[in-house]
Amino acid sequence: MDPSFEPASHAATPAMQALDIDEVPALEIGEGCTRRDLPAAPGVRFWVVEMAPGAQWPVVDHHETGESYYVISGEVIEGEARHGAGTYVYFAPDSRHRPHTQTGVRLIGMNLGDAAFLAAGGSPESIVHCYHPTQG
């Protein structure tokens, strides 16, 4: 996220930042797939992913430290499983997935950076350093 970005419609203090997610610049990840990186504490990554109807994530994501997301609207498909609005999905460390959607989807996700993952007791064996810029 652009460090100079601060939405005009919300006040910020050193201890708090509030923003309209739709004002955060969207990064195009692949055809019909965007990601909006949100501010978070050091070692934690938060983002919003939007996928257009019929879109598929451009690569198989490998999440060394795991990943979690909550489906805000629409439906995301992981393998044969369909996850609609209101569903929380968790992937274990060292997992892989390649989501797609027929209806379109908006979700909010998070994962830990390597140092935060290890500090929380995560296994060093799951970290193989193959981060790809499309990972959410």
Side-chain angles (χ1 to χ4, degrees):
M1 186 168 136
D2 178 354
S4 65
F5 173 73
E6 183 177 334
S9 60
H10 298 283
T13 68
M16 184 211 58
Q17 184 176 7
L19 52 94
D20 180 334
I21 289 174
D22 291 325
E23 292 181 16
V24 176
L27 306 168
E28 186 173 336
I29 302 302
E31 188 174 340
C33 300
T34 61
R35 186 185 74 225
R36 299 170 191 268
D37 294 329
L38 304 176
V44 179
R45 295 181 61 234
F46 273 95
W47 63 90
V48 171
V49 162
E50 294 158 311
M51 295 171 63
Q56 181 172 36
W57 202 249
V59 297
V60 174
D61 273 352
H62 175 213
H63 297 286
E64 299 147 335
T65 64
E67 176 180 84
S68 299
Y69 64 74
Y70 177 79
V71 180
I72 298 169
S73 62
E75 179 185 72
V76 65
I77 303 168
E78 297 280 2
E80 298 297 317
R82 294 173 175 267
H83 307 293
T87 304
Y88 171 78
V89 180
Y90 167 75
F91 292 92
D94 202 24
S95 61
R96 291 165 173 78
H97 69 119
R98 188 174 185 195
H100 65 281
T101 182
Q102 292 176 345
T103 63
V105 68
R106 185 178 214 193
L107 55 88
I108 187 166
M110 69 81 59
N111 68 357
L112 297 176
D114 293 354
F117 176 74
L118 293 171
S123 169
E125 288 78 39
S126 71
I127 300 174
V128 295
H129 303 288
C130 65
Y131 176 79
H132 190 277
T134 62
Q135 289 180 283

